Amino acid sequence: MQLGLVALAMIFLSSMGHSGALKLSKARRQRRVSTEGPPSCPKGCERCSEYNGCIKCKPKLFIFLERNDIRQIGVCLASCPMGYFGMRNPEGNNRCTQCKIDNCEACFNRHFCTKCKEGLYSHSGRCSVSCPAGLRPVNETMECVDQRPAECELGEWSPWSSCMKKNKTCGFKKGSQSRVRLPLLQTHSPDTSPASVPSQTCAPQTEKMKCIVTKTPCVRDY
């Protein structure tokens, strides 16, 4: 009889110990889970996920999708890499968008190249091995320019104008914008007579490209 009571007591104590061990293990797991927070976002990132990287960048930064095997990981950059241009969104989350011009290293927008790959000339936003008829190559800048007199020098390109249509900046969605290179003023030494200086026959060089804007109604003047 006494042996039976002892056996029952040992079984009871063993079950109590096993139950306590299970409770302790469960408590440890709960503590471990509770201390695990969301993934820390990298610098410049406002919202991110463990699988896709950055989902939304902080203002003024561009989100760029890097290829990682079959995944695309979002990273935030101050400027877009070669072959991409920055597309700003008024609602935030600016993006790096890939250039769509062949042999282009840097572009102003999807369809206008500003820098071609090595050995190619740029003209009107396109890249080519040689310049079109009526244009001459400038090896220093790898551009195609008008056939002008040797004494004619043009300055740097001006910034692109606002997107316009029929001299208006409102009431349309698709328009055009332009930029210009103006002739540089000729300089000559004081002892050179004006008759010996070649006449300046330069004309400005202009480039145009199409543009798309958010359509806004024009305000009438009363």
Side-chain angles (χ1 to χ4, degrees):
M1 183 70 180
Q2 291 181 350
L3 290 175
L5 291 175
V6 170
L8 288 174
M10 291 181 66
I11 293 172
F12 177 75
L13 291 174
S14 176
S15 63
M16 289 292 292
H18 181 66
S19 175
L22 288 176
K23 289 182 180 180
L24 180 61
S25 177
K26 184 177 180 181
R28 286 176 179 174
R29 285 200 304 271
Q30 287 178 343
R31 281 200 304 271
R32 191 161 57 243
V33 171
S34 64
T35 56
E36 291 177 356
S40 58
C41 293
K43 185 178 181 181
C45 183
E46 192 170 287
R47 192 169 71 248
C48 62
S49 74
E50 184 177 355
Y51 187 81
N52 297 113
C54 190
I55 300 173
K56 183 178 181 181
C57 295
K58 292 183 178 179
K60 298 183 179 181
L61 297 180
F62 297 93
I63 188 167
F64 175 66
L65 299 179
E66 287 185 339
R67 178 70 65 178
N68 184 0
D69 292 332
I70 60 173
R71 288 193 300 163
Q72 287 185 321
I73 307 298
V75 295
C76 297
L77 304 173
S79 59
C80 297
M82 297 294 280
Y84 292 79
F85 71 96
M87 180 177 286
R88 295 193 178 276
N89 187 346
E91 299 179 358
N93 218 20
N94 307 319
R95 290 187 172 275
C96 289
T97 305
Q98 191 170 12
C99 303
K100 293 298 182 181
I101 306 107
D102 293 335
N103 300 313
C104 182
E105 282 195 357
C107 57
F108 177 77
N109 61 27
R110 191 187 298 268
H111 301 291
F112 197 98
C113 188
T114 54
K115 183 181 180 182
C116 298
K117 291 185 178 179
E118 188 175 357
L120 299 177
Y121 295 96
S122 65
H123 174 65
S124 297
R126 294 290 183 268
C127 302
S128 58
V129 178
S130 59
C131 293
L135 301 177
R136 64 181 178 86
V138 180
N139 293 329
E140 290 80 7
T141 59
M142 295 303 291
E143 290 181 295
C144 297
V145 299
D146 292 344
Q147 293 281 13
R148 298 171 184 270
E151 71 274 8
C152 181
E153 284 190 69
L154 298 176
E156 297 293 329
W157 284 107
S158 68
W160 287 100
S161 66
S162 301
C163 194
M164 302 182 70
K165 184 176 183 180
K166 296 181 179 179
N167 294 325
K168 292 183 178 181
T169 57
C170 57
F172 64 91
K173 184 177 181 180
K174 295 182 179 180
S176 62
Q177 54 189 150
S178 60
R179 63 177 183 173
V180 64
R181 294 176 71 183
L182 298 175
L184 296 174
L185 295 176
Q186 258 187 339
T187 59
H188 54 275
S189 59
D191 57 347
T192 305
S193 62
S196 64
V197 178
S199 61
Q200 182 66 282
T201 57
C202 287
Q205 183 179 356
T206 305
E207 280 188 345
K208 288 186 177 182
M209 69 173 178
K210 295 179 181 179
C211 52
I212 299 176
V213 295
T214 302
K215 187 175 181 179
T216 55
C218 296
V219 180
R220 294 184 178 181
D221 295 329
Y222 296 97

